[in-house]
Amino acid sequence: MTDAGWPPLVPDAARAHLVVAGCAGFRHLPALPRAGADVAALTAALTGPGGLFAPELARTVTDPRRPADVLRLLEVGPKPDVLAFCYTGHGLKARHGRLVLALTDSVDEERQAAATGLPVEHVLDALRESGARHAVAILDCCYAERVFDAAGAENVHLLVAAGRTERAWSPPGAAHSRFSAALLGVLSEGVPEGPELLDLATIFRRLSVLLAPLDSEPRPPEAPHQSWPYPRQRAVNASGDLALARNPAFGTGRTAAGLAARARFASRVGRAGREGRPLVARRERLAQAERLFAAIARDAAEALPFGDRLRFRIHHAHASAVGEGGDPVAARRLLDALLKDWSPLAAPDDPWLRAARASHDHWSAAARG
């Protein structure tokens, strides 16, 4: 199963501009040392061999003190094809539900935030005034979804790390923020069954699964009563088709490594269905996991030898996904066939064989109801 046939919107490299801003040091707020690493790594990913932005058209700033330190970078000349803006740092609440991007001297108080930081509508104004055919804003900060309500947001593709009331927590000691680490992972690892170029829709689909909060995961140490934030996206017409980078895993979907990567992602989709938030998405995620594993199992049956252990594990996972999707009878039948094929090839104490038998017992009991 692949999206390789859908044509992306490819930036004109001579007119595609990238601005990456981050704030790591503050006078009145906790330091975010990883923000500087986020700026460097994201810029490298989007302008390096796999990126679709030319290095000479990329501008970065770390620890800006004034709004002008950021806004002047968005003055890119006449008729840009793409203008993409990325920010990593603290997001602040301002009066009337506004979002402010923190600068080095920002104060986290609603009445002072706008005067001491960079109100996000100023960034949106700059994106609009640039005349770019495609404007993109990627915000890795607390309360980032508030940008959806800002004046000027209607014509900008928005990808944000956290909801209107969510803090963008990150694991302590991590090299990158939770959101940036996931984004960088998608760009560096790719999508084995995906298209040749990674567009915004494909990237968000991966992030929405990889960053879905799970009940079994530890809560943020700073706020153990809260869950991890999850990303949001809002497209403008066909802006989701805009490509940002080449897919390093393109064409590997039927290799052993590609099948294993696809299975890991499908397993994460299944976990999101069993224990993810928001709760309203659980049933849909279980159905998606079942369809993903069906496609992976078909490809594994054609691409891997009959006795291959990865093929066995994928077919086992497919059967479990079918059961979790609500059809224990079909799951039992799939496991009947799997055990018939695998039992003569495996040792009696093979752990994967024991696990498949346990699954067979489980879904058989569920089928009897």
Side-chain angles (χ1 to χ4, degrees):
M1 183 172 66
T2 177
D3 296 327
W6 184 256
L9 300 175
V10 182
D12 179 349
R15 297 187 299 122
H17 299 263
L18 174 68
V19 175
V20 185
C23 213
F26 304 90
R27 290 180 58 196
H28 310 293
L29 301 171
L32 290 177
R34 64 176 68 95
D38 292 344
V39 170
L42 187 56
T43 304
L46 294 177
T47 63
L52 296 182
F53 292 86
E56 61 269 21
L57 296 183
R59 300 176 174 183
T60 65
V61 60
T62 303
D63 291 344
R65 295 185 58 194
R66 303 169 301 165
D69 295 337
V70 177
L71 297 176
R72 63 181 176 79
L73 301 184
L74 294 167
E75 299 172 358
V76 295
K79 296 183 179 180
D81 180 48
V82 176
L83 179 53
F85 171 76
C86 307
Y87 172 82
T88 177
H90 285 300
L92 306 177
K93 295 178 180 178
R95 299 178 68 181
H96 310 299
R98 298 165 68 196
L99 172 69
V100 171
L101 308 180
L103 306 176
T104 56
D105 293 334
S106 288
V107 176
D108 188 8
E109 204 283 323
E110 286 196 357
R111 292 175 296 179
Q112 300 184 60
T116 59
L118 173 57
V120 76
E121 57 265 27
H122 294 181
V123 172
L124 299 174
D125 287 343
L127 291 171
R128 184 189 69 251
E129 292 169 2
S130 74
R133 189 163 68 100
H134 299 289
V136 179
I138 300 174
L139 304 182
D140 183 5
C141 62
C142 299
Y143 320 122
E145 192 185 13
R146 289 181 170 219
V147 68
F148 288 17
D149 305 320
E154 61 275 4
N155 292 316
V156 178
H157 185 105
L158 302 172
L159 174 58
V160 304
R164 288 176 176 83
T165 62
E166 291 178 335
R167 302 291 297 273
W169 305 111
S170 291
H176 298 286
S177 75
R178 183 171 176 267
F179 176 86
S180 290
L183 175 57
L184 291 166
V186 173
L187 295 174
S188 64
E189 297 170 14
V191 180
E193 74 281 18
E196 185 174 1
L197 300 178
L198 295 175
D199 57 41
L200 284 161
T202 300
I203 291 169
F204 178 72
R205 187 181 303 123
R206 306 296 281 197
L207 293 178
S208 68
V209 170
L210 297 173
L211 296 175
L214 303 179
D215 290 338
S216 62
E217 290 181 333
R219 300 297 178 94
E222 303 93 332
H225 59 289
Q226 296 183 17
S227 63
W228 295 106
Y230 64 94
R232 276 82 163 176
Q233 176 172 258
R234 192 170 76 188
V236 180
N237 298 322
S239 65
D241 297 331
L242 181 67
L244 297 186
R246 297 172 181 84
N247 181 3
F250 177 66
T252 67
R254 291 166 60 89
T255 66
L259 289 165
R262 291 169 64 187
R264 287 193 296 272
F265 181 74
S267 295
R268 179 75 188 196
V269 175
R271 287 187 67 191
R274 294 190 301 273
E275 52 175 301
R277 288 181 295 278
L279 298 179
V280 293
R282 286 190 174 184
R283 181 175 297 180
E284 289 80 0
R285 288 302 193 204
L286 288 174
Q288 289 169 334
E290 181 179 348
R291 291 195 295 270
L292 288 171
F293 269 119
I296 299 167
R298 286 194 300 269
D299 287 347
E302 295 177 2
L304 298 178
F306 178 75
D308 188 271
R309 291 180 68 83
L310 176 60
R311 174 172 165 170
F312 170 79
R313 291 161 57 188
I314 287 172
H315 282 268
H316 179 191
H318 174 218
S320 296
V322 169
E324 290 167 352
D327 194 344
V329 174
R332 182 190 63 195
R333 289 172 180 165
L334 289 170
L335 287 163
D336 282 338
L338 180 62
L339 290 171
K340 180 180 178 181
D341 290 340
W342 187 255
S343 295
L345 303 175
D349 60 346
D350 184 284
W352 293 107
L353 183 61
R354 290 202 308 269
R357 285 173 174 157
S359 292
H360 183 273
D361 292 344
H362 172 79
W363 293 119
S364 295
R368 292 192 297 269

